[in-house]
Amino acid sequence: MYPTSATPAEKVAAFGACMGLLDATIDWPLLGQTYCDEGGEAFFDAEAREALTDAALHFASDLGDRLGAGSSLYVGAGVAELAPICFEALVLGRAVTVVTLEGFEPSELNRALESAAAELGLDLPRFDVRGIDAVPSEPSFDHLWLVSVLTDPDAFPALHDSLYERHRPGEDGDGATGRGHLADDKERARELVEACLDRLDLGPAVLATTDEEWQLVGPALRKRRRGIELPEQGRLSPIVGDVVRLVDVAPPREEAE
């Protein structure tokens, strides 16, 4: 987080410097191998990184138009969310919590964040790798980022196949994992969604999620009698290419009346 006495221009400059350092510090060839077994060294080439940054900055700008002071929870985030996470912390001055699965990607991103924080003298968020279900009990968050998590082929393989309507695994198939048990995945996903929504502020809030995950998140919000404004337009997430929408969530109807 940047000092509150800093001017908006200074905050934007710090954000730009941070993103430049992160790009220079991350081991992109090794990170690419976590996304692509064959040819992964070139997965995040200069052109791919530019496209990744461009898409992430659009999300950051969208959030900047909607969020003021407050706190955010990112679940299952990775390199695609670096720009929004750092933008919130440095430009908007928000508290940002990130929970995800342990692995090379969050370890590498934490290394890069620690290096950038030390060089710039800034307090930057870190990735908590205790798992996507390590949702903190305190505080509440007025922004929840739940994007391409319930469709993650490692965390929810059977649910991934179901939500994407994929049925045939293998090179000639449609990308199904062919793993896991759907009933078990649905129950774990339900528990994760409920834990996240338990922490969603009872006042106005913003929820970022994909069209596929909305099949689970939407009904859970309605059950809580939250008002919902689902935008017609969304943005494609970088890397995965899911449609992400920023949903405005109103207080429970009993609270709003």
Side-chain angles (χ1 to χ4, degrees), residues 172-197:
D172 298 325
D174 57 7
T177 69
R179 296 183 282 105
H181 299 281
L182 185 56
D184 292 343
D185 278 9
K186 283 185 175 180
E187 178 58 22
R188 289 191 298 109
R190 184 197 65 78
E191 291 176 353
L192 175 59
V193 169
E194 293 295 337
C196 291
L197 296 185

Side-chain angles (χ1 to χ4, degrees), residues 2-222:
Y2 208 63
T4 55
S5 59
T7 67
E10 289 173 330
K11 293 177 181 179
V12 171
F15 170 66
C18 176
M19 295 308 298
L21 280 174
L22 291 174
D23 182 73
T25 304
I26 292 171
D27 190 330
W28 292 104
L30 280 179
L31 187 60
Q33 292 178 18
T34 68
Y35 281 87
C36 182
D37 293 333
E38 190 171 334
E41 296 86 352
F43 187 83
F44 288 114
D45 60 14
E47 183 177 354
R49 298 204 307 274
E50 183 178 355
L52 174 69
T53 299
D54 185 62
L57 288 175
H58 277 96
F59 279 113
S61 177
D62 291 342
L63 292 172
D65 291 339
R66 291 169 177 261
L67 301 175
S71 56
S72 295
L73 173 64
Y74 284 73
V75 181
V79 67
E81 285 79 25
L82 266 183
I85 288 170
C86 292
F87 180 86
E88 284 200 44
L90 295 177
V91 179
L92 301 182
R94 292 172 59 84
V96 182
T97 299
V98 188
V99 296
T100 192
L101 294 170
E102 185 177 8
F104 175 79
E105 181 177 13
S107 296
E108 175 64 10
L109 297 181
N110 277 339
R111 184 190 67 81
L113 286 164
E114 289 170 6
S115 176
E119 184 162 343
L120 296 172
L122 298 174
D123 181 16
L124 296 175
R126 301 292 194 275
F127 287 71
D128 184 336
V129 297
R130 289 178 295 169
I132 56 176
D133 56 351
V135 178
S137 58
E138 296 288 345
S140 61
F141 302 89
D142 62 358
H143 170 224
L144 169 63
W145 181 278
L146 187 69
V147 172
S148 304
V149 177
L150 307 182
T151 53
D152 185 282
D154 294 320
F156 300 98
L159 190 56
H160 163 95
D161 294 349
S162 176
L163 292 176
Y164 283 137
E165 298 182 351
R166 295 173 177 172
H167 310 288
R168 302 185 310 278
E171 293 183 2
D172 298 325
D174 57 7
T177 69
R179 296 183 282 105
H181 299 281
L182 185 56
D184 292 343
D185 278 9
K186 283 185 175 180
E187 178 58 22
R188 289 191 298 109
R190 184 197 65 78
E191 291 176 353
L192 175 59
V193 169
E194 293 295 337
C196 291
L197 296 185
D198 281 347
R199 301 274 65 79
L200 195 64
D201 195 273
L202 292 178
V206 175
L207 166 67
T209 196
T210 66
D211 285 355
E212 290 79 16
E213 290 163 301
W214 184 248
Q215 298 176 48
L216 299 173
V217 178
L221 278 171
R222 295 187 184 98

